[in-house]
Amino acid sequence: MAAEGTADGTASGGAAEGGTAVEAAPAHSALAASDGDHAVVVGAGLSGLLTAHALARGFARVTLVERDALATGAPAFRAGVPQSRHVHILWNRGLTELDALLPGVVAELEAAGGEMVHAPEETRWLSSAGWFAGVRGARYLSVSREVLEAVLRRRVLACGAVTVLDRHEATGLVAGPDLRTAAGVTVRERGSGGRQFALRAGLVVVATGRGARVAEWLGQLGCPPPPAERIDAHLGYSSRYYRRPASPGTAWKSMYVQGNREVPRSGVIVPIDGDRWLVTLIGQGAHQPPVEERAWLDFAASLRSPELAEALTHAEPLSDPVAFRATANEWTHYESSADLPAGLLVVGDALCRFNPVYGHGMSVAALQARVVAEYAAGTTGAALAARTREVQRSLARCARGAWAIATGEDCRYPETDGPAPGPLARFQQGYMARVLAAANTDPLVASAFFGVLSLDRRPESLLAPRVALRARRRPAPAP
């Protein structure tokens, strides 16, 4: 498509979650016995919460370090998640992994107002090839990021092993005596006069999203930066909330009008908690969606179908449009770095981030948390910390399918920054265009296509002979 704390840093789960004072450690610190059974996760967003919960299977204590002050009341926007005001969905694979980690949590999210949508059956979806009609696909959950994180925080903190240190920012790594092991993080309390101290641990996980500074921290320890890839199609978002019409008079729950090469403008309507619609307009290159009221409505009316703009005439706007432009695909290959310190893991968007339009980031984070949980189960914290390079390679494998989908599609645009697609990539793009055209109306191809889009199947499954034969019957799409 795209923990709660009080002012003094204590979290809603109890006084211990505010973070007790931690004595300063030298820059190169040996771990005390108790520190080895302690894990620190930097970042209390979705990826950090799920990873902290997974680590509680192998560590006696897990501390979440979060730079934002986390609300104690109703779910609220926080500055550290600027993308939260735009469409967020969890595809079927992500939902499966969430429920495996936190049994029953998907039902809790629905009870909190999240909406389960079956695409394309309950989605009015105009793909780049045409309207989906008469086919079945995959489910996804649409929910506001604020409600999603509030429900997950409540569940994760309930276990007792995970505590939260909010209004604190990690500023670097603490190295072990051999200078090749992460022994904790240096932390600074936010605000004037905030103290700085070392938080020692047997394992450090960085889950700080797109703004992660891991490469800089590694440089401070004398480690060269890992190789990185970046593919940027220059997509921009502009989103706002609407009150959902009481009787919309439509059979659809959501709508997606995709752009194409001729009209690189898209629009999405999804239902979310609070009886609201979240509406996101998307544009590529020079077609960035505006935030001014009249221009925003004009952009919505300029899509390939007028249906989205017409639907909005029956809905009441609840907010002004807000923009988001950080949509590049970026993968920092920590898994291939021979210099990555033992005892350090990088997860979520801090490792690999995708253009949010495909809706894969949160599902991949859930996949990665399941990997951590499998490694942590039945072992000790020290044993897990000794295997972090192996774990990091497994975490990277979780991102491959989503990366292939996002970068393969984004490289279609001539203005995309990144390596130009070679002959094989161009052939794959042409083949995928045929698959999409077939998926619009062919139930078998649609099942295969949505199986990949929902991350339930690997992208290469679309090369199966029965899919390929049906795709080849379609006329070649326009270049």
Side-chain angles (χ1 to χ4, degrees), residues 157-289:
L157 297 180
C159 77
V162 181
T163 60
V164 177
L165 187 64
D166 72 341
R167 296 190 303 110
H168 284 75
E169 183 172 9
T171 57
L173 295 171
V174 174
D178 60 0
L179 304 183
R180 298 182 60 82
T181 303
V185 291
T186 53
V187 176
R188 180 178 61 238
E189 184 179 15
R190 302 195 72 198
S192 58
R195 65 193 181 109
Q196 183 158 325
F197 55 92
L199 191 59
R200 293 174 291 186
L203 177 69
V204 174
V205 181
V206 179
T208 48
R210 289 178 176 261
R213 299 167 58 191
V214 186
E216 177 184 332
W217 295 353
L218 292 177
Q220 293 170 356
L221 299 182
C223 301
E229 295 180 78
R230 189 174 193 274
I231 296 175
D232 188 359
H234 303 288
L235 262 68
Y237 282 11
S238 184
S239 302
R240 68 193 306 187
Y241 300 103
Y242 279 79
R243 190 180 311 282
R244 203 185 312 178
S247 300
T250 65
W252 51 263
K253 288 185 178 180
S254 65
M255 181 182 291
Y256 187 19
V257 177
Q258 284 186 262
N260 58 19
R261 289 282 293 272
E262 291 72 33
V263 185
R265 299 181 174 200
S266 305
V268 186
I269 298 175
V270 294
I272 61 169
D273 40 274
D275 293 320
R276 295 174 294 167
W277 276 346
L278 178 51
V279 184
T280 294
L281 301 181
I282 307 161
Q284 191 272 334
H287 296 261
Q288 298 294 301

Side-chain angles (χ1 to χ4, degrees), residues 254-447:
S254 65
M255 181 182 291
Y256 187 19
V257 177
Q258 284 186 262
N260 58 19
R261 289 282 293 272
E262 291 72 33
V263 185
R265 299 181 174 200
S266 305
V268 186
I269 298 175
V270 294
I272 61 169
D273 40 274
D275 293 320
R276 295 174 294 167
W277 276 346
L278 178 51
V279 184
T280 294
L281 301 181
I282 307 161
Q284 191 272 334
H287 296 261
Q288 298 294 301
V291 295
E292 298 78 18
E293 176 74 16
R294 185 66 260 169
W296 195 91
L297 294 172
D298 289 344
F299 189 101
S302 73
L303 304 182
R304 291 172 55 226
S305 167
E307 291 191 26
L308 186 143
E310 290 169 359
L312 297 183
T313 63
H314 305 291
E316 175 192 353
L318 298 175
S319 68
D320 294 328
V322 293
F324 183 70
R325 300 291 187 254
T327 62
N329 304 283
E330 298 177 282
W331 190 338
T332 306
H333 290 282
Y334 296 104
E335 76 281 0
S336 64
S337 173
D339 298 292
L340 191 69
L344 174 67
L345 292 174
V346 186
V347 300
D349 282 2
L351 169 64
C352 185
R353 39 211 173 269
F354 317 98
N355 183 341
V357 74
Y358 306 103
H360 287 150
M362 296 195 300
S363 293
V364 170
L367 277 166
Q368 292 176 338
R370 273 295 301 279
V371 167
V372 173
E374 289 168 2
Y375 274 99
T379 188
T380 65
L384 178 60
R387 301 176 66 188
T388 47
R389 289 173 183 165
E390 174 189 341
V391 178
Q392 190 67 60
R393 289 191 292 269
S394 296
L395 294 172
R397 284 193 288 271
C398 295
R400 288 178 181 172
W403 179 263
I405 293 169
T407 59
E409 289 301 304
D410 282 3
C411 284
R412 290 182 184 274
Y413 298 104
E415 301 89 348
T416 296
D417 291 339
L424 177 60
R426 289 194 295 271
F427 170 81
Q428 292 171 334
Q429 289 172 350
Y431 177 74
M432 280 304 303
R434 288 177 181 267
V435 168
L436 178 58
N440 282 172
T441 56
D442 186 308
L444 186 148
V445 180
S447 176

Side-chain angles (χ1 to χ4, degrees), residues 53-80:
H53 177 73
L55 288 172
R57 300 185 181 192
F59 287 85
R61 297 181 297 128
V62 182
T63 301
L64 277 160
V65 178
E66 172 54 51
R67 69 187 301 276
D68 286 340
L70 299 168
T72 57
F77 171 81
R78 60 186 180 92

